[in-house]
Amino acid sequence: MTQSILPNQFTEILAPNSETQIEIKNNAIRDFFQETLALTTRLFIQLKRRPSSLVAGVIQPFMWLILFGALFYQAPPSLFGNNLTYGQFLAPGIIIFTAFSGALNAGLPIMFDREFGFLNRLLVAPLASRFSIVAASTIYIISLSFIQTAVIITASAFIGAGLPRFGGLIAIALIVFLIVLGVTGLSLGFAFALPGHIELLAVIFVINLPLLFASTALAPLSFMAEWLQIIASLNPLTYAIEPIRYIYQNPHWNFVSIVMNTPWGNFNFVTVLSLLFIFDVVILLSIKPLLSRRFA
Amino acid sequence: MSDVITIKNLQKSYGDVKALKNISFSVKTGEIFGLLGPNGAGKTTTIRCLTTLAQPDSGEIFVGGISAITQPKQVRQKLGYVAQEVAIDKVLTGKELLKLQASLYHLPSFVAKKRIEQLLTLLGLEEYCDRQTGTYSGGIRKRLDLAAGLLHQPQVLVLDEPSVGLDIESRMIVWDFLRQLQQAGTTVLITSHYLEEIDALADRLAIIDQGEVIAEGSPSNLKDDLGGDRITLKIREFSSLEEAKTAQEKLSQLPFVENIIINQAQGNSLNLIVTPKSNPISKIEQTLTEINLPMFSITQSRPSLDDVYLAATGKNLIDAEIEASNRRDLKAEKKQAMK
């Protein structure tokens, strides 16, 4: 197997770094980008060769939209305010729920990397920061969520939910980004803290649908029992759904429009975005010690 | 030669289990160093501490003078690690995996490209490198893992059980490669529970048993220190302990016999240490005839590494292995390895 290589080349190829003097300069920021890019590339190669998760991820919200839309199809339009059909009411809920579900599953590949020992390959490497693992997952999930969101927005437009203007679409992208960042962080935290994928799946299972039902994705606050109104008004999903719903219903929204009513007051667009941002910061800060402990 | 790895008084517990009681050894620059011991002796835990995957409870680890405990990132740069179970992403091709690895070690892309090509050629992987690694055989995977471990030209390549699960041909390829690597100046640290692997490769070794280093030195020194030739005697294929004891008592009176151990795990066979060149076999046979005992088999040899192990622990490596496998909680170890 080594016929094409001369003996003196062995030394050149196999000698340790100190003897061949290949200078590797340390630049933490450039290193962080390099490793994040490499890890992200890996996730996209996986997606390209195994596209089934993306296909399912596009089909599923589409089915939610059709099935839930049909479930309350005959409900009186006055019920959801502004003469909305249920389909129009539902679209923002499905956008956020889809992004949320995708982000909640972000920890699974990391968990499998742990179980198959691939994570050790990353942990023995001199990474500039092990947060590059988190960054790569986030970039990947956000890309997927944007594809899904685009499909849902297009499909919703066809079933009569209307299409927000360009500024509205940018705002929707920002909201999707904020909710995905926080929930991806949460999921990766679980992936490092829990003992195995069975436990992780159990946690995902327990969180996923209850958070959907305890939000305003499927029904407005006014439909709910009072205790559920309080829970739904604490649920980060509600804070992502309501501004998108407002954008859908009010083409002339602005940053101080009141987009959300809760038992403890009305919030404008900027406040809601700030609360989502705080949610992200709290999650990332709270998983940091967890990651550092694993990453000691 | 200076020491490239120094490990001092390493201790590590997992819950109530003391995986490492007291591990100390040092590896000299440019040598192949072997950690020998049965499965479950603490070899992998030692390697996990060295490669910064685990934090020891106490003790010191230095690689090239840098502490793996306080400056793990610098130490990671100096080490290449080839784990026991090759962890590759089955969906990636070999080349893609190497590119990923090169980026994790921050090689500039022109360096990475050259290193990848060189190592693919050197390890005979060109024809496989564009296929997904899920299609590789065990030997090819191991070679890919070797390439990955060497991309950044580490000072020390650490291999955990390099030939577990390999066929003989692949094992020989790996062994030859490790010798070439040493020739080029890279220090190699391997763990193994195969005596012949350590005997064939290692310049020096440490024997680990139940979380402690029980011997350290070169294979020939360790063997010579034992002195005497070894004789394994079986009275019957499976003798009774009583018969073995009778024979032990009688044989120990022979002038050239230095020591006799009854190995209960091997059908109560007798392990004798005898003065070299004493021509003992005929005299042993004669003695047995005198006390009306038969002889099933007898072999004489120079001391082996297994004898070194036997002398230090009172059992040979295979038996220690079986004993350890009964004691081990593989599920708990797997969990530990994931952390």
Side-chain angles (χ1 to χ4, degrees), chain B residues 23-307:
Chain B
I23 300 283
S24 301
F25 62 88
S26 55
V27 178
K28 295 185 198 311
T29 308
E31 71 180 356
I32 297 184
F33 189 90
L35 275 184
L36 175 68
N39 283 320
K43 302 188 300 288
T44 298
T45 305
T46 306
I47 295 301
R48 287 178 61 79
C49 290
L50 173 66
T51 53
T52 74
L53 284 172
Q55 185 99 16
D57 299 339
S58 65
E60 292 173 346
I61 304 170
F62 291 99
V63 179
I66 294 170
S67 167
I69 294 155
T70 58
Q71 290 174 287
K73 209 183 277 182
Q74 280 88 328
V75 165
R76 287 177 200 132
Q77 187 71 51
K78 288 177 181 291
L79 297 177
Y81 176 47
V82 179
Q84 176 173 356
E85 282 174 33
V86 184
I88 48 181
D89 185 330
K90 286 192 276 186
V91 182
L92 298 184
T93 66
K95 207 178 234 171
E96 285 163 348
L97 184 91
L98 293 178
K99 277 186 194 161
L100 169 66
Q101 180 92 9
S103 288
L104 297 180
Y105 285 83
H106 311 120
L107 299 187
S109 60
F110 70 95
V111 177
K113 194 162 181 280
K114 187 173 154 217
R115 293 287 303 155
I116 289 171
E117 271 169 23
Q118 286 177 332
L119 284 162
L120 286 174
T121 311
L122 197 60
L123 283 153
L125 288 167
E126 295 117 314
E127 59 171 307
Y128 305 98
C129 69
D130 289 321
R131 294 186 209 160
Q132 292 183 25
T133 56
T135 64
Y136 290 8
S137 69
I140 302 297
R141 284 174 187 220
K142 192 56 105 181
R143 281 194 242 166
L144 179 67
D145 223 12
L146 278 169
L150 289 168
L151 275 178
H152 64 292
Q153 298 182 279
Q155 312 265 288
V156 184
L157 185 69
V158 180
L159 300 101
D160 198 2
E161 298 280 1
S163 49
V164 162
L166 292 190
D167 55 82
I168 291 175
E169 196 194 348
S170 300
R171 186 185 297 188
M172 289 306 148
I173 291 172
V174 170
W175 286 10
D176 284 343
F177 184 77
L178 293 180
R179 289 191 187 106
Q180 287 169 357
L181 192 60
Q182 182 197 19
Q183 294 263 302
T186 301
T187 310
V188 180
L189 171 60
I190 61 172
T191 78
S192 184
H193 65 287
Y194 294 127
L195 291 160
E196 69 272 24
E197 181 163 43
I198 298 290
D199 216 352
L201 286 176
D203 300 309
R204 292 192 319 118
L205 74 147
I207 300 179
I208 295 190
D209 183 62
Q210 296 185 26
E212 284 178 286
V213 173
I214 53 175
E216 184 182 348
S218 72
S220 55
N221 280 348
L222 287 175
K223 291 177 204 168
D224 290 348
D225 285 353
L226 280 186
D229 280 5
R230 310 286 130 170
I231 287 180
T232 304
L233 166 67
K234 284 188 169 183
I235 301 165
R236 304 175 201 277
E237 190 173 6
F238 303 100
S239 321
S240 69
L241 185 59
E242 208 176 312
E243 275 178 341
K245 280 184 173 161
T246 314
Q248 182 188 28
E249 200 188 325
K250 195 76 186 169
L251 291 172
S252 56
Q253 290 163 11
L254 293 171
F256 54 84
V257 173
E258 292 167 11
N259 191 14
I260 304 181
I261 299 168
I262 297 174
N263 189 339
Q264 296 193 28
Q266 300 279 337
N268 291 317
S269 62
L270 298 169
N271 295 321
L272 295 79
I273 299 171
V274 299
T275 314
K277 294 174 187 156
S278 55
N279 197 15
I281 288 181
S282 60
K283 288 166 198 155
I284 288 171
E285 193 169 12
Q286 198 182 334
T287 313
L288 285 180
T289 314
E290 281 169 20
I291 54 173
N292 285 323
L293 284 177
M295 189 162 79
F296 176 75
S297 70
I298 188 163
T299 51
Q300 181 178 7
S301 63
R302 301 282 305 138
S304 66
L305 279 182
D306 203 15
D307 295 315

Side-chain angles (χ1 to χ4, degrees), chain A residues 75-126:
Chain A
S78 58
L79 214 50
F80 301 100
N82 296 353
N83 265 342
L84 281 180
T85 66
Y86 187 65
Q88 289 166 326
F89 176 84
L90 184 65
I94 298 301
I95 289 172
I96 290 306
F97 177 62
T98 304
F100 166 71
S101 296
L104 196 57
N105 283 297
L108 267 179
I110 297 284
M111 181 58 92
F112 285 120
D113 277 352
R114 265 179 74 197
E115 291 184 342
F116 290 119
F118 194 87
L119 191 67
N120 283 347
R121 189 181 285 286
L122 313 186
L123 299 187
V124 298

Side-chain angles (χ1 to χ4, degrees), chain B residues 309-321:
Chain B
Y309 188 81
L310 181 70
T313 65
K315 54 188 184 275
N316 58 29
L317 196 62
I318 291 174
D319 296 328
E321 191 100 323

